[in-house]
Amino acid sequence: DHDGIDHWKLDAFTEEDSKSGPFLEESSFATLFPQYREKYIREAWPIVKAKLEGVHVAGELNLIEGSITVRTTRKTFDPYVIFKAKDVIKLLARGVPVQQAVKVLKDEVFCDIIKIGGMVRNKERFVKRRNRLIGPNGSTLKAIELLCDCYVLVQGNTVSAMGNHKNLKQVRRIVEDCMNNVHPIYNIKALMIKRELAKDETLSKENWDRFLPKFKKKNAPKKKAPTIKKKEYTPFPPLPPMSKKDKAIESGEYFLSDRERKLKTRDERAVAAAAQKALRTADRAKAYAPPPESDPAAAPKTRTTAASEDSAADLAGRVAKKARESARARERGEGAGKGVEAFLAGSGAGSARKRKERGEEAGGEEKKARKEARKKEKGEKGEKGEKKAAKMEKKEAKKEKKEQKEQKIQELAMAPPKKKDDDIKTHMANERTFFKWLFYGFHIGAIGTFILTFFGEKTPLRIPMVMLIWFIAFFYIYYGLFRYFSRRRALREGLSDPREWDDPHAPLLMAGGLFFIIGGIVLYAVISHEIPNKKHGIPTASPY
């Protein structure tokens, strides 16, 4: 034993290796094939039969039953070749081409038929995942074949694969993961990384888990099924729903007259509108509410007030001390000219001197600057006051407009509602009026066509008269269309102005136009001394 020996090499099984002689019993396998494969198998059967005879296996094709049978013969020496022949006919039945199927007869090639039909219950989901395994234009299937070094065919509810045992195991794992909703691209990516790592001799004996991608499943949280409470069993059926009539009888509205019912609905609307108005006024009043006043006693003392209070307390203590000293001096008869007033004057002068020493002049400049700032603030406040007054006026004007608008809306809401049937009838009447105008215009045009037909070609001013009559006809049609749209607008906007509805000029226009056209034709015939002939349309001289 040495390193040059390949322990995994499969040696070919020859006839010399079979020392037991021919088989005592005949072994056979049969399989059915679908009808659509019959033509292909019949054409490829000579090739299959020749390959089977090469390994001393007999084959039989039965087109009546649609089956293929393989069996051993007296010359068969390999006991496992019958299983290889069984795989060949199975692959042929599953749609594998004959050039690929006969490769299974080799010792190093095996096959695996994976049944995927029962892995997914939903048919649409099954078709979707099967197409995912194939990929666009077969790209995913081709990638699996290149990485696993196998032949793979997806047909119906099965996946046929051919290759060695290790690669067939990888193909089966990819197919099962795909049917379990794991995309093949994840396994393909892992195989590509493994192939690159295998090329590196330093990493060939290490664990590759740290290089492989780890995909986490992200499942959406499932919705909890709503708990349905069981109803208590009662032998009595549920009450039927109340009709509108029953509800009206129960509330008492059924016994009211039409006028009382309208008044009741109007009062309800008025109450609801008043409540809404009160809420809106309360909301608007919030903006003008004054802020809460602060307590001056609770306000914190500033530095100036605290300093003034301290200085006043010191001055009071010094005055009391000086008063006691002056009283003692009077008793002794000394310092009678000095009193508290003199002390106060002296203290005032002393304090003035001290203030000067501390920088009274700087304090005066600061006071002046403060006075100027206050004047500027007063001027700005005056401008701001004017701006505020203008804003308040604008707000009041807007408020009045809004109230007027609300009043109009309330009046419209208080008005008795129109019946839908009346509105529909009015619209239909408006359309009928427009059609009457349309027909009238065409009738006037027919009179013009009458002149064109029955007066002769030599009649002067025949064509201008026809054009004039048709112009009048189109004017009537346009006038009817204009009145139709104006009344339609009035109907939609609910206008009650009589000028939008009444049309006092229409009868005059219709009658005047008709009299003008007929009178003009008669006058033209009398003046021109031509009367149209009914039979031939040839103008004849007038008897007058």
Side-chain angles (χ1 to χ4, degrees):
D1 189 9
H2 55 86
D3 295 337
I5 298 173
D6 187 3
H7 297 282
W8 296 97
K9 184 180 178 182
L10 293 173
D11 295 328
F13 190 83
T14 59
E15 192 172 355
E16 297 174 356
D17 297 331
S18 178
K19 299 177 181 179
S20 61
F23 299 150
L24 298 177
E25 295 289 339
E26 181 184 279
S27 299
S28 64
F29 291 100
T31 185
L32 299 174
F33 57 86
Q35 190 176 2
Y36 67 88
R37 293 286 294 170
E38 181 180 343
K39 183 180 179 182
Y40 180 80
I41 292 172
R42 187 172 65 245
E43 291 174 356
W45 183 246
I47 301 170
V48 177
K49 192 174 182 180
K51 292 289 183 181
L52 292 175
E53 286 177 356
V55 292
H56 306 291
V57 175
E60 181 183 351
L61 175 64
N62 191 344
L63 296 175
I64 297 171
E65 295 180 358
S67 63
I68 306 173
T69 308
V70 289
R71 62 174 63 89
T72 57
T73 60
R74 298 288 296 174
K75 294 181 180 180
T76 306
F77 60 88
D78 189 356
Y80 190 72
V81 75
I82 189 64
F83 296 101
K84 295 274 191 178
K86 181 188 72 170
D87 292 339
V88 170
I89 60 176
K90 276 189 177 182
L91 292 172
L92 285 172
R94 293 314 307 156
V96 178
V98 65
Q99 291 83 2
Q100 295 289 340
V102 295
K103 291 180 182 178
V104 183
L105 295 173
K106 297 178 181 178
D107 291 341
E108 66 274 7
V109 180
F110 301 91
C111 77
D112 187 11
I113 298 174
I114 308 162
K115 295 180 181 179
I116 60 174
M119 292 184 180
V120 183
R121 292 183 180 180
N122 192 352
K123 188 176 179 181
E124 293 179 0
R125 195 176 295 169
F126 167 74
V127 173
K128 190 176 180 180
R129 292 180 184 178
R130 187 180 63 182
N131 293 338
R132 189 185 296 169
L133 183 65
I134 297 169
N137 300 325
S139 57
T140 307
L141 198 66
K142 189 68 177 176
I144 294 169
E145 289 180 349
L146 292 173
L147 290 169
C148 298
D149 196 16
C150 292
Y151 174 80
V152 185
L153 176 71
V154 180
Q155 179 73 22
N157 294 332
T158 58
V159 177
S160 305
M162 294 170 56
N164 56 24
H165 285 294
K166 184 180 178 181
N167 296 337
L168 289 176
K169 190 176 179 181
Q170 291 178 349
V171 171
R172 176 173 278 273
R173 188 181 62 192
I174 293 171
V175 171
E176 288 177 353
D177 287 348
C178 183
M179 289 295 114
N180 292 328
N181 201 19
V182 177
H183 203 281
I185 193 66
Y186 298 137
N187 290 314
I188 289 170
K189 191 173 183 180
L191 289 173
M192 291 172 69
I193 293 168
K194 287 179 181 178
R195 175 174 282 192
E196 293 298 323
L197 291 172
K199 294 177 183 178
D200 193 351
E201 295 179 357
T202 57
L203 298 173
S204 59
K205 295 180 181 180
E206 293 185 9
N207 189 8
W208 293 345
D209 289 342
R210 56 196 173 108
F211 300 108
L212 298 178
K214 295 176 183 179
F215 302 102
K216 294 181 180 179
K217 292 183 179 180
K218 295 181 180 179
N219 293 330
K222 295 181 179 179
K223 293 182 179 179
K224 293 182 180 180
T227 55
I228 301 169
K229 294 182 180 179
K230 291 184 179 180
K231 295 181 180 179
E232 295 181 0
Y233 172 74
T234 55
F236 305 104
L239 293 172
M242 293 178 69
S243 62
K244 290 183 179 179
K245 196 171 183 180
D246 295 337
K247 290 178 182 177
I249 291 169
E250 187 178 0
S251 62
E253 292 181 5
Y254 182 77
F255 305 103
L256 298 175
S257 62
D258 293 338
R259 182 178 176 77
E260 291 174 346
R261 200 176 290 112
K262 287 179 181 178
L263 289 172
K264 187 180 179 182
T265 53
R266 186 180 297 178
D267 294 340
E268 288 176 356
R269 287 178 183 173
V271 170
Q276 289 293 330
K277 189 175 181 181
L279 289 173
R280 285 195 293 271
T281 35
D283 291 339
R284 287 197 295 271
K286 286 179 183 178
Y288 302 102
E293 295 181 358
S294 58
D295 189 5
K301 294 180 180 179
T302 59
R303 185 184 292 178
T304 56
T305 55
S308 62
E309 288 177 2
D310 294 341
S311 61
D314 293 340
L315 182 61
R318 288 199 299 272
V319 167
K321 187 178 179 182
K322 190 64 180 174
R324 287 193 296 270
E325 287 178 359
S326 61
R328 289 171 189 170
R330 280 196 207 98
E331 290 175 0
R332 289 194 303 268
E334 296 175 357
K338 293 183 179 180
V340 180
E341 292 82 1
F343 171 73
L344 287 172
S347 66
S351 63
R353 284 195 300 273
K354 287 178 182 177
R355 282 197 297 271
K356 283 180 183 179
E357 289 173 2
R358 290 173 187 172
E360 183 66 23
E361 294 176 359
E365 291 177 1
E366 289 179 3
K367 284 183 180 179
K368 288 179 183 179
R370 285 175 191 167
K371 284 181 181 179
E372 290 177 1
R374 284 174 189 170
K375 286 180 183 179
K376 288 181 181 178
E377 284 179 3
K378 283 181 180 179
E380 289 176 359
K381 282 182 180 179
E383 292 177 0
K384 287 181 180 178
E386 291 176 1
K387 288 181 181 177
K388 282 185 180 178
K391 285 182 181 178
M392 290 294 289
E393 288 177 2
K394 287 182 181 179
K395 284 182 180 178
E396 288 177 0
K398 285 182 181 179
K399 187 178 178 181
E400 288 177 2
K401 286 182 181 178
K402 199 171 184 181
E403 286 177 357
Q404 290 175 3
K405 193 174 180 181
E406 288 174 0
Q407 191 175 358
K408 285 183 181 179
I409 292 167
Q410 190 174 353
E411 288 174 0
L412 290 172
M414 294 286 287
K418 293 182 179 180
K419 294 182 179 178
K420 290 185 178 179
D421 296 339
D422 294 344
D423 293 342
I424 293 167
K425 288 178 182 177
T426 313
H427 278 288
M428 299 301 290
N430 188 25
E431 288 183 2
R432 286 196 297 271
T433 308
F434 168 67
F435 287 137
K436 291 291 182 183
W437 278 102
L438 189 66
F439 295 151
Y440 186 76
F442 277 110
H443 289 159
I444 296 295
I447 294 171
T449 310
F450 162 78
I451 294 168
L452 189 66
T453 306
F454 288 93
F455 279 94
E457 295 179 357
K458 296 180 180 180
T459 304
L461 301 175
R462 182 172 65 97
I463 293 174
M465 282 184 65
V466 172
M467 292 176 67
L468 177 63
I469 292 168
W470 270 105
F471 175 79
I472 295 169
F474 282 120
F475 171 76
Y476 282 138
I477 293 168
Y478 172 76
Y479 184 80
L481 187 64
F482 171 76
R483 295 303 301 170
Y484 167 74
F485 279 111
S486 63
R487 286 169 179 163
R488 183 184 175 198
R489 181 180 59 82
L491 277 170
R492 287 190 173 181
E493 295 179 0
L495 300 175
S496 58
D497 191 2
R499 288 177 295 180
E500 299 290 339
W501 301 98
D502 192 13
D503 193 3
H505 307 294
L508 293 174
L509 283 172
M510 295 174 74
L514 189 61
F515 287 147
F516 171 77
I517 292 168
I518 294 173
I521 293 169
V522 173
L523 186 63
Y524 176 78
V526 171
I527 292 170
S528 61
H529 301 288
E530 291 182 357
I531 299 173
N533 193 350
K534 290 184 180 179
K535 291 183 180 180
H536 305 288
I538 301 169
T540 58
S542 175
Y544 301 99

